[in-house]
Amino acid sequence: MASTHAHMVMVRAFAPGKCILFGEHAVVYGHPAVAVAIDSGVEVELTESESWTIDGKSFDAARHPHISHILYDVFGYDGAPLQIGIRSGLFSAAGLGSSAALSNAMGAAVQALMRPGEAIDSVELARIGHAAEAKAQAGRASPADTATSALGGCVVVSGEPVDGARHVFDAELETPEGRREWSVCKVDLPENLDAWLVLGFTGIGSPTGDMVAGVASLLQRDPSKYADMDAIAKITQAGLTALGAGNLEAVGMAMDACHERLQSLEVSSPELDALVEVVRPHSLGAKLTGAGGGGCMVALTQDPQRVAEEIEIAGGTPLISRLGAEGVRLLEGK
Ligand code: PMV
């Protein structure tokens, strides 16, 4: 590790963001959700220093709950002051899991600093990240973002058994509404899948809590909408089977079907629908991803440049990714 000072220790870690392919909103009702890690994410660099700073400004622990939880509550850090550097390649408040990626990269970096030479344990980091998210979000957090960012690849989070997925660990959380439990599984994707994901950010923040509350009140007003939830659960299972088999056309069809059900649950928006429409001719499938309302849509395509251009021309911001990037990892020093 290169450094200008003999005793100055520097560590770097990277954790990817995520994109939900199937099952958003239905997962709140115990059904499975399928997410994949994307190429873009968050990088954390920690350098021992004379004083505490974050991105060049003085570090106030209270203003950074994810970071201080990991430093003090999880690792009991009592070493030298740190210069904390954070670089994000994700749109924030867009449903791409930037806070989960931050927690995981921070956890990996702090571990490397305190237990040098020890391999990182991605399941342990997923648990740490989930607890950090819960702490920062008033006790309510699904493990999907942190698990996908930690484990990488394709992750299924569910309250019910899922065909074709390999169990990795169980997550649990005491929430204000009671105890919740999830099974976190991985799906092995075929190698060299000949398709890319193109995300399209609407530029509008995605208020997950409001969207989830909106769906709850819609279901109360109109119980016939439970049919959409059940349909999403079936589409998710079909999409997952297609994904595991590398049947990209069927994955795309399932994505299109999922978008229709999410529209029926009133979580899409004119901006999301416009981006989905514009990419469809050059995509295998397209849908909103995550909470909806704003945030991002995602297309599965064999022509990612073309789709990225369509998104840009329609007023969105594109981000191209492979399906199922690697999970959290340490990076070589500069
Ligand atoms: O905001 P996102 O992209 O993490 O999506 C939230 C997914 C929901 O199913 C809408 C909510 C949840 O807690 O699972």
Side-chain angles (χ1 to χ4, degrees):
M1 196 178 300
S3 79
T4 50
H5 189 288
H7 301 291
M8 190 179 84
V9 176
M10 193 270 273
V11 294
R12 290 198 304 144
F14 175 86
K18 69 93 185 36
C19 152
I20 299 181
L21 284 185
F22 302 108
E24 49 272 271
H25 288 289
V27 68
V28 175
Y29 297 82
H31 297 305
V34 179
V36 290
I38 60 173
D39 293 330
S40 303
V42 174
E43 186 184 317
V44 169
E45 182 176 300
L46 301 178
T47 312
E48 290 184 349
S49 174
E50 308 279 304
S51 60
W52 284 93
T53 59
I54 183 159
D55 291 330
K57 300 190 197 91
S58 125
F59 175 68
D60 173 4
R63 291 190 47 209
H64 300 279
H66 290 81
I67 290 175
S68 49
H69 173 74
I70 288 167
L71 269 173
Y72 303 117
D73 304 343
V74 177
F75 286 95
Y77 185 78
D78 62 356
L82 297 173
Q83 192 181 305
I84 304 169
I86 296 168
R87 271 192 292 270
S88 177
L90 301 170
F91 314 120
S92 58
L96 299 185
S98 62
S99 66
L102 171 62
S103 291
N104 283 330
M106 186 69 195
V110 177
Q111 189 201 297
L113 201 62
M114 295 184 70
R115 312 202 295 248
E118 206 174 286
I120 59 169
D121 175 344
S122 53
V123 172
E124 187 195 349
L125 286 172
R127 290 185 189 285
I128 291 168
H130 184 209
E133 290 255 277
K135 194 169 177 209
Q137 297 169 25
R140 294 182 191 90
S142 118
D145 287 20
T146 44
T148 309
S149 173
L151 302 176
C154 179
V155 168
V156 186
V157 169
S158 181
E160 64 198 22
V162 177
D163 291 341
R166 180 162 48 83
H167 179 261
V168 181
F169 71 100
D170 290 317
E172 57 191 36
L173 191 65
E174 288 300 340
T175 75
E177 290 76 36
R179 185 183 175 73
R180 293 194 57 188
E181 294 176 13
W182 301 266
S183 161
V184 178
C185 303
K186 270 198 90 165
V187 175
D188 296 319
L189 298 178
E191 279 181 33
N192 306 321
L193 280 175
D194 180 27
W196 283 261
L197 296 176
V198 186
L199 289 144
F201 182 37
T202 55
I204 301 163
S206 173
T208 301
D210 294 354
M211 299 312 294
V212 170
V215 170
S217 92
L218 176 66
L219 289 169
Q220 212 167 24
R221 281 197 314 276
D222 181 0
S224 76
K225 296 281 182 181
Y226 276 105
D228 292 314
M229 287 294 173
D230 296 340
I232 290 175
K234 289 205 177 74
I235 292 165
T236 300
Q237 184 63 63
L240 192 56
T241 304
L243 203 53
N247 183 350
L248 295 171
E249 306 232 322
V251 175
M253 281 164 52
M255 289 170 72
D256 289 346
C258 194
H259 186 69
E260 254 181 59
R261 295 297 180 164
L262 291 166
Q263 283 176 318
S264 171
L265 290 174
E266 299 176 11
V267 296
S268 195
S269 70
E271 293 83 0
L272 285 165
D273 287 343
L275 294 182
V276 165
E277 277 313 306
V278 84
V279 301
R280 282 236 163 103
H282 310 286
S283 302
L284 295 158
K287 62 185 277 290
L288 73 85
T289 180
C296 293
M297 48 69 69
V298 60
L300 179 72
T301 178
Q302 289 169 324
D303 195 352
Q305 291 303 337
R306 173 85 195 231
V307 166
E309 280 156 20
E310 300 280 14
I311 288 171
E312 202 148 17
I313 289 164
T317 310
L319 185 65
I320 299 176
S321 175
R322 287 169 304 158
L323 265 103
E326 212 188 315
V328 63
R329 57 207 179 254
L330 293 173
L331 303 175
E332 294 297 315
K334 270 199 272 212

